[in-house]
Amino acid sequence: MELITKAPKGTVDKLPSEINKWHTVEEVAAKVAETYGCREIRTPTFEHTELFQRGVGGTTDVVQKEMYTFNDKKGRSITLKPEGTAGVVRAAIENGLLNEALPQKLYYFTSCFRYEAPQSGRLREFRQFGVEIFGADSPICDAETICMVNDIFRFLELDNVSLEINSIGCPECRAKYHEALKAYYEQYKDQLCDTCKERLERNPMRLLDCKSEICHGFAENAPIILDYLCDNCETHFETVKSTLDKMHIKYTVNPRIVRGLDYYTNTVFEFVSDSCGAQGTVCGGGRYNGLVEEIGGKPLSGFGFAMGLERLLMVMDAQNCAYSPAKQCDLYIAGTDPTSSAYAATLVRQLRQYGFWAECDIVGRSLKAQMKYADKINARFSMVLGENEINSGSAELKNMKTGEKLTVSIGDNFAEKVNSILMDIE
Ligand code: HAM
């Protein structure tokens, strides 16, 4: 019985009283992405499990430990998406978006699902805003996309986040790095967690972001990838940094960033803050030059990022950032009797054609109770309709804040007149 009145662990309701915060970040993120030429894409909430095994990587924590996977009624293995990139790549390939003019720039809002131990800033269902750019090899793409995140934060007036960048090279430099990592971890082999013992052979870089305390400790003195970059990868990274410098975007190089997903190549980055729980990362992303091909498309580079919106709001709250104001009822029209209430219903309908939030009594309340309700919902204006008002064709529009009253004709062009009055007040 108790279960059905409790949201599942690690999920949160986004309530009407806070929805203006969500609208603020969603509007800014979409608007900024559109100024960079990104168009919105919406992909399914679940995909075939193989997509994430291939795309995100079989040795990642996300795939090995955190996916919500189940068999559907026909026995197909289905997974709720743990992240947005793989689904967007799948959709871009399947729908021929990669045959259109390149670069193809896409953005999305999505729910993601990861079976993690919930804590502050870490949920089992969370929202991401993400961007994926296909077919842009230049390091300017990396810098420009990082700049997009920076612009979003700037528009939101956020300043308690910092940017950390790294390069994890291409498969060639990575092969040499893997050897160095294997040699390093060999000495601790017996102490590693079981998953990492197995990862050591298959994908030693994954040991660096293992969440177990003991493996985490060994990562601190492990060799760093920057010492193993080939000339091309090094030049690419240098140009990303110099372009960021020219854009006056501050960053630090953090050679420990490897990201928790397998598809990355070259530039990786994270925006971190100490106001979003133990996790700290508000936004993460990077280049993924092999992913499109891995998922069955043509060889085509990719670059993208995703920001966790719950974490972003935590950081904004901590900094007391301003949000767009919550929407408010513009006009409540009360009726003194059932005939007047029915008349009020026709008037609010007219107002809604102008986009006003207008309400009348649909409960059957007394006039006093209607006015109490108008107060409770914080209506900006109210009007009382009775036999007199209907017969005379005019009523008083009351400003609920100042108490000021204005007589308005309730006949033809009622909504137009109210519109001009309210516009004047604004
Ligand atoms: P990610 O780093 O796994 O990257 O997730 C991106 C962001 O989602 C994180 O920085 C964080 O803000 C948020 N996030 C992740 N897990 C949780 C959680 N359990 N609870 C709350 N928020 C969370 C990706 O997902 C990549 N697909 C990003 C990307 C796009 N790379 C290239 N393109």
Side-chain angles (χ1 to χ4, degrees), residues 333-347 384-396 408-411:
I333 307 186
T336 56
D337 56 275
T339 314
S340 310
S341 290
Y343 196 93
T346 67
L347 294 184
V384 177
L385 284 191
E387 213 181 321
N388 285 347
E389 283 76 14
I390 294 171
N391 289 340
S392 69
S394 66
E396 281 184 332
V408 186
S409 150
I410 55 171

Side-chain angles (χ1 to χ4, degrees), residues 292-311:
V292 176
E293 203 178 358
E294 182 68 39
I295 290 179
K298 56 188 175 188
L300 197 65
S301 60
F303 192 95
F305 67 82
M307 55 179 79
L309 297 180
E310 286 84 358
R311 287 190 196 172

Side-chain angles (χ1 to χ4, degrees), residues 82-85 108 114 116 121-124 126 128 131-132 259 261 263-264 281-286 288 303-308 310-311:
E83 60 97 55
T85 310
Y108 54 89
R114 295 185 192 176
E116 294 191 80
R122 198 206 270 161
L123 295 160
R124 289 184 174 167
F126 56 96
Q128 279 190 348
V131 163
E132 311 296 348
R259 310 281 301 129
L261 315 165
Y263 46 65
Y264 292 107
T281 310
V282 187
C283 176
Y288 49 87
F303 192 95
F305 67 82
M307 55 179 79
E310 286 84 358
R311 287 190 196 172

